[in-house]
Amino acid sequence: MADIPANQATLTTADGVPLKTKLRQTQRRMKMRALGLVLPLLAFIAVTFIWPIGLMVYRGVDNPVFSEVMPNTNAALARWDTQADEIPPEDIVAIVARDLAQARRDKTMGRVATRMNYDLPGSRSLITSSARKLAKIEGDVVWTEEMVKIDKRWGERKTWMAMRLASERYTMAFYMAALDRTFDEDGNITMQPEERQIYVTLFLRTVWVSLLITVLCILLAYPISYLMATLPLRTSNLLMVMVLLPFWTSLLVRTTSWIVLLQKQGVLNDILVFIGVFSDEGRIRMIYNMTGTVIAMTHILLPFMVLPLYSVMKTISPSYVRAARSLGATPARAFWKIYFPQSVPGIGAGSILVFILAVGYYITPALVGGESGQLISNFIAFHMQKSLNWSLAAALGGILLGGVLALYWIYNKLVGIDNMKMG
Amino acid sequence: MADSNEPIVRFINVQKSYDGEILVVKNLNLDIARGEFLTMLGPSGSGKTTCLMMLAGFEPATNGDITLNGKPINNVPPHKRGIGMVFQNYALFPHMTVAENLSFPLEVRRMGKDEIESRVTRALEMVRLPEMAGRRPGQLSGGQQQRVAVARALVFDPDLVLMDEPLGALDKNPREEMQYEIKHIHESLGVSVVYVTHDQSEALTMSNRIAVFNDGIVQQLSTPDALYERPENAFVAQFIGENNRLMGTVKEVNGESCTIEVDGGGAVIALAVNIAGKGERTTLSLRPERVTINPPEGSVPNVFEGTVEELIYLGDHIRARVNVCGHDDFIVKVPNASGHAALKEKTKVKVGWEFEDCRALDA
Ligand SMILES: Nc1ncnc2c1ncn2[C@@H]1O[C@H](COP(=O)(O)OP(=O)(O)OP(=O)(O)O)[C@@H](O)[C@H]1O
Ligand SMILES: [Mg+2]
């Protein structure tokens, strides 16, 4: 179309506005309207979802205690040349000592002590007793000497390094701790001592258990969904009710019924003993361990696999398999080459749902997991409710969130998220 | 290969019931000749698809035998029957390209790579879509998908191809184009085709023979012209083409002609085709184009007076609705030839017809 006259090169509407501008205007109007429609939901999600999650991630790095209670300490310790001096010089120590004394007088000492205790186990009493004694000292003294006199740990580099880290306004310490890492005396990242390394194993265990549950769900849900999608409506409705029935039952009831079934004196063991699979002494433990967690969670998450699978299979017309058969494919081949590939989007959708739910599951492992069946969320809950180390809980949660997002990203790269169908 | 005079498919006393109560196919006896284009035509629910499914092997026959190339196939699974099939909704595999769709039946048969490639190319050329090999079915128009479906059913050289309303989803123009193409492919390849449709003009233009189905029974099996000109019962007469029905009672039978007392009054001389005997009820069937307006005195045996109720101008002919013998839905097609009768609504006219054109059929 090289020979269009110049005046026709740009199309215009009847009132002389170039067509492209006009189109852009209409599109912008449409976008504004669409935005208006989603705005309420967007606001709701922002308030109830994005804001709390943002807050949680932030809490994992937030470290306000020192800046509120001992406002001069952080700046002072930052001036400490850790390469040159073993412990901070006298002028810095003086500032810290006065801050400690002041905190004692303000009765806010406890927060500092707790905070220090996270980084340097056993330092709670050091802080509280030192602060009490420092508060009594009046006049000019050599603070370094006085403090070492109160407790000789003030002469150690370790104590001061810990305080320097703990006093920073923002800290990576909680995220490091969530990955079993810590800072050593020289401020380098090192592994926690062996007996305190739990979280990495726990993360890996959580991912592995979730994968196992996802695979079990696929294996169990696929045949049932297939039946539901192919059987006559009345039978398939019955199956659907059977799948949904657990859904309508309280989670606690379902979990506790598993306890009844699986415990050592429970129904399943009784039956196995009765039919002679093993003797009465040989009863196996199927609950309060990883087995219990896996069985109960697979059961609870199964509907989340069945429903997307079913809705995808429902749309696969039986004429595809018939066509394949008429073209000469055996039933197995027709299934594998024609039916299965078309059901993959359902597997994808179900797997993502089940996996993400499993990774964050809390109640079931707490009830039936015993000691070995605990997952990462149980520890997050522990730090939220028992140890009250919310920052560490936030860091663990933040890492979990990041991990899930990363897996989602990998899934998108490998399978393509557009390939996923919820129905 | 089997003797070429032997039918490729025989249905022998075949019955089919899905629920054990109602027979959907009542007693089917049908021979399909080698190389024939046979159409099953009939209203919805008459059992056409069911017959095709039994032939393809997706539904078992409740009773009777079906033979393919002389061998009974009741116990042969679908994938061993070697019958090509085109489905109404095409059933192209959506996750495969056109070329992969076409090579599927060949791969199943373990053909070599080169052989597959050349056959796929040839099949795509046959349906004039050689440049679409890399596309997915979702990227093709309805007509193009239909062609691919036809090519896929033919690519492995079956002797028999079944097509269940293959053009049902197409608009008028691509539909007529495809009718021609399928016909052309049938003629050039010499395969036998069993074609299902409920569009009678499609059946008339494409087929060698047509089996008219109703209520699980083949009402008539004839060539298209015989079906139109010599329907054997009232259902076929009514179903194929336009038709005037006059109900009446047989008064007298004279060899091949008979006299019928029509319900609204008047005696009609008609061809006795399918009547039970004297005094029995019958339906007279008369094509609208076989009726003449104001016939010359004594030229035809049946002449009646009627009133023109309605005139519709259709260019090449004029449709007149006339009230004759107490039937006010009697249609006459008046050809728009020079000197044709000038009709006016609400005026009296004489209508007349030959006795052979008026067929006395079952009631
Ligand atoms: N799978 C089935 N189960 C039970 N009844 C069926 C089944 N398939 C068809 N029928 C019944 O059998 C009868 C014939 O159906 P069939 O599909 O053969 O009709 P058809 O002639 O192909 O009609 P159409 O022109 O609408 O496709 C119908 O009454 C239908 O309700
Ligand atoms: Mg049908």
Side-chain angles (χ1 to χ4, degrees):
Chain A
M1 293 284 181
D3 51 12
I4 291 179
N7 58 350
Q8 283 186 9
T10 55
L11 296 168
T12 59
T13 55
D15 50 1
V17 185
L19 193 57
K20 279 206 171 145
T21 320
K22 194 86 182 174
L23 274 174
R24 256 200 309 277
Q25 282 172 0
T26 351
Q27 265 167 11
R28 193 174 322 132
R29 248 195 317 260
M30 272 161 59
K31 274 186 200 150
M32 292 308 283
R33 191 153 27 159
L35 189 67
L37 289 173
V38 297
L39 211 54
L41 180 63
L42 219 55
F44 180 77
I45 289 180
V47 170
T48 60
F49 190 69
I50 298 178
W51 170 245
I53 285 184
L55 217 57
M56 180 196 76
V57 174
Y58 174 72
R59 192 180 262 282
V61 294
D62 190 25
N63 190 28
V65 173
F66 272 80
S67 66
E68 282 166 15
V69 178
M70 298 172 54
N72 305 317
T73 303
N74 180 28
L77 283 174
R79 282 193 280 117
W80 172 25
D81 182 356
T82 52
Q83 304 290 325
D85 300 315
E86 176 70 13
I87 62 168
E90 169 62 19
D91 57 330
I92 296 177
V93 174
I95 294 171
V96 174
R98 274 188 220 110
D99 261 1
L100 273 170
Q102 186 58 42
R104 163 74 190 169
R105 276 172 230 125
D106 295 344
K107 300 196 168 55
T108 47
M109 203 59 250
R111 293 179 62 198
V112 175
T114 309
R115 178 62 191 84
M116 270 296 282
N117 203 46
Y118 291 155
D119 283 0
L120 193 66
S123 61
R124 184 187 302 273
S125 60
L126 167 70
I127 300 288
T128 42
S129 65
S130 303
R132 193 173 58 240
K133 288 171 187 157
L134 282 171
K136 289 187 193 129
I137 297 174
E138 277 164 32
D140 273 345
V141 287
V142 182
W143 291 99
T144 317
E145 280 174 19
E146 291 296 327
M147 287 180 79
V148 174
K149 227 189 287 169
I150 292 169
D151 193 314
K152 68 175 183 327
R153 279 180 280 175
W154 287 117
E156 290 170 11
R157 179 178 170 84
K158 195 167 76 174
T159 315
W160 288 104
M161 283 305 289
M163 181 171 263
R164 189 169 119 111
L165 277 172
S167 70
E168 276 172 5
R169 182 65 188 84
Y170 296 102
T171 177
M172 285 312 289
F174 298 112
Y175 275 90
M176 305 302 309
L179 291 170
D180 290 341
R181 276 157 180 80
T182 185
F183 293 101
D184 67 5
E185 287 171 25
D186 298 317
N188 300 318
I189 296 166
T190 55
M191 293 302 292
Q192 293 268 29
E194 196 113 0
E195 72 278 4
R196 301 191 64 202
Q197 293 179 12
I198 46 172
Y199 298 117
V200 171
T201 329
L202 211 56
F203 273 118
L204 290 179
R205 185 203 285 173
T206 304
V207 168
W208 149 241
V209 167
S210 304
L211 280 178
L212 178 68
I213 289 169
T214 310
V215 170
L216 285 175
C217 279
I218 294 175
L219 293 180
L220 291 174
Y222 201 93
I224 263 288
S225 318
Y226 179 80
L227 275 183
M228 272 163 47
T230 47
L231 283 181
L233 200 60
R234 205 138 46 93
T235 338
S236 75
N237 275 345
L238 188 72
L239 279 178
M240 180 62 107
V241 168
M242 279 161 64
V243 168
L244 287 182
L245 206 59
F247 235 17
W248 299 331
T249 326
S250 147
L251 187 75
L252 281 172
V253 173
R254 278 187 282 165
T255 308
T256 36
S257 7
W258 277 116
I259 299 179
V260 173
L261 279 174
L262 296 181
Q263 64 190 344
K264 251 188 169 164
Q265 301 301 325
V267 180
L268 195 59
N269 263 313
D270 284 349
I271 293 176
L272 290 176
V273 169
F274 180 74
I275 60 173
V277 175
F278 41 69
S279 69
D280 202 32
E281 296 78 55
R283 285 173 182 264
I284 44 171
R285 204 173 136 119
M286 289 180 282
I287 200 123
Y288 303 126
N289 57 17
M290 189 52 89
T291 320
T293 301
V294 170
I295 293 178
M297 277 178 69
T298 304
H299 172 235
I300 283 160
L301 295 177
L302 198 56
F304 293 96
M305 184 65 80
V306 171
L307 292 177
L309 256 181
Y310 167 72
S311 68
V312 166
M313 286 176 170
K314 197 76 194 155
T315 63
I316 304 176
S317 158
S319 63
Y320 291 124
V321 169
R322 288 188 162 178
R325 300 288 310 279
S326 80
L327 293 171
T330 57
R333 186 169 184 136
F335 172 81
W336 186 243
K337 289 280 183 192
I338 304 302
Y339 193 90
F340 181 76
Q342 294 188 61
S343 67
V344 165
I347 298 182
S351 300
I352 282 234
L353 269 178
V354 168
F355 182 81
I356 288 181
L357 284 172
V359 156
Y361 229 74
Y362 157 65
I363 297 183
T364 306
L367 289 179
V368 302
E371 204 170 309
S372 66
Q374 299 291 302
L375 300 182
I376 194 72
S377 10
N378 303 106
F379 277 78
I380 295 178
F382 170 78
H383 286 301
M384 292 296 291
Q385 295 161 353
K386 299 272 168 53
S387 80
L388 299 185
N389 188 352
W390 286 12
S391 298
L392 182 56
L396 288 169
I399 289 173
L400 190 60
L401 178 69
V404 168
L405 289 178
L407 282 171
Y408 184 80
W409 182 80
I410 293 171
Y411 176 87
N412 188 23
K413 283 278 150 190
L414 291 181
V415 186
I417 214 70
D418 306 333
N419 244 330
M420 178 170 99
K421 264 199 262 175
M422 293 290 183
Chain B
M1 199 83 257
D3 169 11
S4 66
N5 287 324
E6 186 193 36
I8 182 163
V9 173
R10 301 189 71 171
F11 286 89
I12 306 161
N13 300 327
V14 172
Q15 294 185 323
K16 171 73 187 174
S17 170
Y18 284 105
D19 51 9
E21 287 170 19
I22 304 159
L23 281 180
V24 172
V25 175
K26 289 190 177 138
N27 188 15
L28 181 66
N29 283 291
L30 183 63
D31 288 0
I32 300 165
R34 197 166 292 280
E36 177 174 42
F37 195 116
L38 182 127
T39 298
M40 295 179 173
L41 176 66
S44 198
S46 55
K48 310 178 297 285
T49 300
T50 306
C51 287
L52 223 54
M53 287 299 155
M54 287 192 289
L55 185 50
F58 297 120
E59 289 291 347
T62 314
N63 237 324
D65 275 321
I66 304 171
T67 67
L68 179 67
N69 289 321
K71 289 184 220 65
I73 52 168
N74 286 13
N75 295 319
V76 180
H79 63 275
K80 293 202 177 129
R81 297 192 179 192
I83 298 174
M85 185 144 186
V86 180
F87 291 81
Q88 176 165 10
N89 55 2
Y90 318 130
L92 294 177
F93 307 136
H95 57 294
M96 297 181 175
T97 64
V98 167
E100 284 164 350
N101 264 283
L102 291 186
S103 39
F104 183 80
L106 307 177
E107 278 164 12
V108 167
R109 287 172 172 73
R110 297 180 201 287
M111 285 188 186
K113 228 175 167 197
D114 299 339
E115 164 103 43
I116 291 181
E117 208 165 296
S118 75
R119 275 184 184 239
V120 167
T121 315
R122 222 175 330 129
L124 280 175
E125 272 162 9
M126 177 181 74
V127 294
R128 298 189 289 112
L129 289 173
E131 68 284 4
M132 301 291 177
R135 296 241 194 132
R136 296 272 164 126
Q139 300 164 318
L140 301 179
S141 75
Q144 290 168 337
Q145 292 184 34
Q146 186 54 67
R147 284 184 200 173
V148 176
V150 170
R152 191 180 65 177
L154 289 166
V155 72
F156 60 99
D157 286 341
D159 323 328
L160 176 63
V161 179
L162 313 182
M163 303 192 186
D164 189 0
E165 302 198 34
L167 308 183
L170 295 186
D171 292 336
K172 189 167 174 291
N173 276 338
R175 195 181 170 114
E176 281 170 3
E177 199 180 314
M178 276 307 290
Q179 286 175 7
Y180 171 76
E181 271 188 45
I182 290 177
K183 186 77 196 130
H184 182 78
I185 288 170
H186 166 248
E187 276 159 11
S188 61
L189 296 184
V191 291
S192 315
V193 177
V194 179
Y195 193 95
V196 165
T197 181
H198 51 224
D199 178 339
Q200 49 158 307
S201 74
E202 190 166 293
L204 292 173
T205 47
M206 296 178 79
S207 329
N208 299 128
R209 285 197 301 161
I210 300 173
V212 179
F213 272 67
N214 190 38
D215 202 20
I217 290 172
V218 176
Q219 304 283 342
Q220 186 171 349
L221 173 64
S222 319
T223 55
D225 55 330
L227 211 57
Y228 186 82
E229 311 216 349
R230 297 186 293 282
E232 277 161 18
N233 59 38
F235 174 81
V236 176
Q238 188 66 19
F239 192 70
I240 309 280
E242 214 178 352
N243 177 51
N244 287 313
R245 272 149 57 105
L246 299 173
M247 316 298 285
T249 316
V250 181
K251 221 167 72 182
E252 206 178 315
V253 188
N254 274 327
E256 65 168 1
S257 81
C258 58
T259 310
I260 311 294
E261 181 69 42
V262 178
D263 289 352
V268 176
I269 302 170
L271 189 68
V273 178
N274 188 1
I275 50 176
K278 211 170 145 185
E280 297 293 328
R281 301 285 297 160
T282 179
T283 308
L284 293 177
S285 154
L286 178 62
R287 298 283 180 205
E289 65 272 20
R290 297 295 171 92
V291 181
T292 25
I293 298 281
N294 297 331
E297 199 71 35
S299 61
V300 290
N302 297 304
V303 179
F304 293 92
E305 182 139 293
T307 317
V308 180
E309 297 283 348
E310 194 180 359
L311 288 172
I312 299 169
Y313 184 77
L314 286 165
D316 61 339
H317 72 271
I318 296 153
R319 275 167 65 92
R321 188 161 64 80
V322 185
N323 189 337
V324 172
C325 302
H327 291 73
D328 70 347
D329 54 355
F330 192 90
I331 304 291
V332 183
K333 276 190 191 166
V334 187
N336 197 355
S338 58
H340 71 88
L343 296 176
K344 276 212 177 81
E345 289 184 11
K346 305 296 170 208
T347 56
K348 298 246 179 240
V349 284
K350 282 206 163 74
V351 293
W353 58 86
E354 288 287 355
F355 96 95
E356 315 93 76
D357 289 336
C358 182
R359 299 168 69 82
L361 305 170
D362 55 325

